[in-house]
Amino acid sequence: MVRAKQKAIAAKVNNVYIKVKVHAGEKKNDLKQKSQDAFEIWVKAPAERGLANDAVRTILASHLGLEAKKLHLIKGATSPAKIFEIK
């Protein structure tokens, strides 16, 4: 019974935040995991019109085994330091 309650509580916890430092306009796409919830990502896409943000979302989702639409940029749209939320 205790395990069932723990699973129910864990299922309600949706807010997982991922910290990302982005290097836009690089020669190749690359990802380095700094810790369990922090990444450094290099993308070819330029930092304009949201192109780098879209590339980061795609690379991060692929690494985490998620669909890109599950990652939501909640902070840092125009900054190299970003925070994504997994929904």
Side-chain angles (χ1 to χ4, degrees):
M1 182 137 159
V2 173
R3 288 187 185 184
K5 285 183 181 180
Q6 288 175 342
K7 287 182 181 179
I9 291 170
K12 289 181 182 179
V13 178
N14 293 336
N15 299 348
V16 176
Y17 298 101
I18 305 290
K19 293 172 257 176
V20 179
K21 181 173 181 187
V22 177
H23 302 273
E26 296 293 326
K27 290 186 179 185
K28 64 177 186 171
N29 292 334
D30 197 14
L31 178 142
K32 181 177 181 184
Q33 187 164 358
K34 297 287 198 170
S35 68
Q36 186 176 0
D37 66 343
F39 295 87
E40 193 163 356
I41 300 176
W42 292 262
V43 294
K44 291 181 186 179
E48 55 188 39
R49 300 186 321 271
L51 297 174
N53 291 339
D54 291 341
V56 167
R57 178 182 285 114
T58 302
I59 292 168
L60 187 58
S62 175
H63 178 77
L64 296 172
L66 300 169
E67 296 178 34
K69 67 181 181 181
K70 298 275 185 183
L71 291 173
H72 298 276
L73 179 62
I74 59 170
K75 188 171 184 179
T78 60
S79 169
K82 302 182 184 308
I83 297 177
F84 285 90
E85 180 180 17
I86 299 175
K87 289 195 175 186

